[in-house]
Amino acid sequence: MNHANKLIYMAFSAIVFCIGTFLLFYHSKLYLLTLESVTKQGYEDNEVYLQYNADELETITSTELTATLYGSLDYDIRIDGQNIDKEEHDPEDIPGYGIRQTAYKKSYRYDEQGNIQVVIYQSIVE
């Protein structure tokens, strides 16, 4: 009788192990299919989800702004209302941009597809 109890216990343990393994693989596959579906749908929709957090405004110094202007520009820039076209920008023109020695708030203007059109720098009056 003792061997029969061990046999039943081992058979039950094997069945529970097989069911657990099956559920693990099934739910892993289901998770990956769901993740792939959601990711694919997000790329097809071309929707941009932005969250604005006023507490975390990006600020930069005038020195950082000037250093940015010495490199090549990826986007058009607006500094205190003055537009700088990325194709026509020349580092020799930087003194004429009227950059004040203050901090600047950096923000972006987007088009309908969520691509950046203009990087806007607005001086913070201290």
Side-chain angles (χ1 to χ4, degrees):
M1 186 67 178
N2 193 15
H3 293 294
N5 285 339
K6 283 186 179 180
L7 181 63
I8 292 172
Y9 179 76
M10 297 275 291
F12 181 73
S13 298
I15 291 171
V16 169
F17 177 78
C18 290
I19 291 172
T21 304
F22 170 77
L23 289 175
L24 174 71
F25 286 121
Y26 175 75
H27 286 286
S28 296
K29 182 179 178 183
L30 185 64
Y31 170 76
L32 292 174
L33 288 174
T34 305
L35 182 64
E36 180 182 339
S37 167
V38 169
T39 305
K40 184 178 179 184
Q41 183 180 3
Y43 284 127
E44 289 173 356
D45 291 345
N46 286 331
E47 292 183 12
V48 176
Y49 298 97
L50 299 174
Q51 180 177 354
Y52 178 73
N53 188 353
D55 295 335
E56 295 182 8
L57 289 175
E58 187 175 354
T59 58
I60 65 168
T61 64
S62 60
T63 308
E64 291 172 320
L65 176 56
T66 305
T68 300
L69 292 172
Y70 275 108
S72 62
L73 300 180
D74 295 329
Y75 307 104
D76 293 340
I77 292 180
R78 180 179 298 153
I79 302 172
D80 288 333
Q82 181 180 2
N83 292 325
I84 301 169
D85 188 46
K86 66 180 177 183
E87 282 87 19
E88 297 176 5
H89 170 66
D90 185 9
E92 294 178 2
D93 297 335
I94 293 174
Y97 293 155
I99 299 174
R100 293 189 276 168
Q101 297 298 318
T102 183
Y104 285 85
K105 178 178 68 169
K106 182 179 181 182
S107 60
Y108 303 93
R109 187 173 68 197
Y110 299 93
D111 61 7
E112 294 81 24
Q113 289 79 30
N115 300 321
I116 297 174
Q117 282 185 324
V118 178
V119 180
I120 302 169
Y121 295 97
Q122 186 66 39
S123 62
I124 300 172
V125 180
E126 296 178 344

